[in-house]
Amino acid sequence: MLFKINSAMERQQFLKTMASLPLVGASMKLEAFEKISAHFSNTKKTPLLFIGHGHPINALLDNDFTQTLSKIGASIEKPNAIMIISAHWTTKGTFVSVNAQPKAIYDFGNIDDRLLQIKYEPKGHPQLARQAIETATNYHIEEDQAMGLDHGAWTVLKHLYPKADVPVFELSIDHSQPTNYHFQLANSLKKMRKKGVLIIASGNIVHNLKVIDWNNVNAKPLDWAIEFDEIVKSKLNSQDFKALVNYEQLGSIFQLAHPTNEHYLPMLYTLGLADKTEEVKYLFEGFQFGSASMRCFQIS
């Protein structure tokens, strides 16, 4: 078993713990050794992920999008936990789930019975969830004891971490707050990245169900959808995050791309959590059903 000691503080804790361990002959008890290793899991600063999650049916599909998700999960060092901000958990007030055993929530209509057979059940991480509350003290985040994993979370995580072997908790989106609130709240949560928490925002850069072609996953994307997706990409490239937060500056095309803004807001958390020295890397580009941008990107 290998682990890293990343700081003088960790070294001091290691030596202290070593000194207190019971020995059997020249060997350390296994459970005592596991006690040590628990102190030194991944604490390297994690990357940020924005995932365009699209239709729940992607949980069943083997396509270029889901294959990309699998590659993303394999390419990132296994985190201590995942905090996910999904378009499908909106609340009045901001909440974090401290549920120790979150279950998949089937929060969609009668799409395909096979979706209801999927059981994605990772552990929660109440301790790290509560640290989010302690980290963002000015934002009055409240505990939620019962929240599971909505489909914006588990349909993505199923491909990223198919073994469900990383603890997961969700942070809600307060729909009553202006866009700058979400950006600034995210900014106050930056320290969570240094605790080995992988933060995933799950939404869509273009999401208009009014004109979606439900019958054709490979439908030709609408011209205005492509245009808006490229506008956002351009702002990301120039790190003009202010324009993306104050999306009124993007013009009337925003209303076409987002008749309601809950699928756009998760991206603002990704941007608020980023440092100025970090770069955007596009992991997937494309559309499904004509009006759902599946763009995914990483900031690190």
Side-chain angles (χ1 to χ4, degrees):
M1 184 184 298
L2 297 176
F3 55 87
K4 295 179 180 179
I5 299 177
N6 297 310
S7 67
M9 183 178 295
E10 287 185 355
R11 176 179 171 80
Q12 187 177 31
Q13 177 63 43
F14 173 79
L15 294 173
K16 182 179 179 181
T17 308
M18 281 288 290
S20 67
L21 287 173
L23 299 178
V24 178
S27 300
M28 189 186 309
K29 288 184 179 180
L30 177 60
E31 59 267 29
F33 187 79
E34 289 176 346
K35 180 181 177 182
I36 295 179
S37 62
H39 287 288
F40 304 112
S41 52
N42 174 30
T43 55
K44 186 165 66 175
K45 182 179 176 182
T46 54
L48 300 164
L49 294 179
F50 175 81
I51 304 294
H53 66 249
H55 198 291
I57 201 67
N58 280 300
L60 295 171
L61 300 181
D62 180 11
N63 55 28
D64 54 350
F65 168 67
T66 61
Q67 290 168 15
T68 297
L69 292 184
S70 297
K71 292 176 183 176
I72 294 169
S75 70
I76 295 174
E77 183 176 348
K78 189 175 179 180
N80 295 334
I82 294 167
M83 182 171 77
I84 191 160
I85 301 109
S86 167
H88 295 281
W89 192 24
T90 59
T91 52
K92 179 68 178 295
T94 303
F95 294 82
V96 66
S97 174
V98 294
N99 187 350
Q101 299 291 334
K103 302 289 192 297
I105 302 171
Y106 307 101
D107 50 343
F108 40 77
N110 185 18
I111 297 171
D112 190 311
D113 288 344
R114 292 176 297 167
L115 287 170
L116 305 179
Q117 305 306 312
I118 297 175
K119 304 297 181 185
Y120 192 85
E121 300 180 349
K123 293 181 180 179
H125 205 309
Q127 180 184 5
L128 283 171
R130 291 187 174 104
Q131 286 189 31
I133 297 174
E134 296 167 6
T135 301
T137 53
N138 293 331
Y139 287 86
H140 309 293
I141 301 173
E142 299 180 59
E143 293 184 13
D144 186 291
Q145 303 286 338
M147 181 62 185
L149 301 175
D150 64 66
H151 81 262
W154 69 262
T155 64
V156 169
L157 294 172
K158 175 184 178 292
H159 296 291
L160 288 170
Y161 295 99
K163 295 180 180 179
D165 55 352
V166 179
V168 182
F169 60 94
E170 288 203 43
L171 180 75
S172 77
I173 297 173
D174 185 350
H175 59 76
S176 69
Q177 294 290 346
T179 53
N180 195 57
Y181 169 90
H182 303 288
F183 183 82
Q184 294 298 337
L185 168 57
N187 191 264
S188 74
L189 289 167
K190 283 185 177 182
K191 289 182 180 178
M192 296 298 292
R193 298 177 63 188
K194 295 181 180 179
K195 300 177 186 294
V197 178
L198 175 64
I199 303 177
I200 302 174
S202 178
N204 290 98
I205 286 175
V206 179
H207 184 268
N208 187 331
L209 298 184
K210 295 180 179 180
V211 295
I212 199 167
D213 186 347
W214 294 106
N215 297 314
N216 184 6
V217 66
N218 296 313
K220 181 181 178 182
L222 299 166
D223 289 344
W224 56 261
I226 296 173
E227 181 183 352
F228 185 79
D229 188 64
E230 288 296 325
I231 289 172
V232 172
K233 180 181 180 180
S234 175
K235 298 299 183 185
L236 290 171
N237 288 343
S238 63
Q239 294 197 352
D240 188 2
F241 296 167
K242 185 176 179 180
L244 294 173
V245 173
N246 301 311
Y247 58 69
E248 297 85 358
Q249 298 179 17
L250 304 179
S252 58
I253 193 173
F254 183 88
Q255 292 303 320
L256 282 173
H258 293 279
T260 56
N261 71 358
E262 75 283 344
H263 277 73
Y264 182 84
L265 294 177
M267 182 180 68
L268 302 187
Y269 283 82
T270 308
L271 305 184
L273 282 155
D275 290 326
K276 292 181 179 180
T277 57
E278 296 183 298
E279 297 181 354
V280 177
K281 175 185 176 182
Y282 299 104
L283 305 173
F284 187 83
E285 297 179 303
F287 282 80
Q288 289 183 350
F289 302 100
S291 65
S293 167
M294 304 302 291
R295 181 179 297 282
C296 304
F297 61 87
Q298 175 177 322
I299 298 181
S300 58

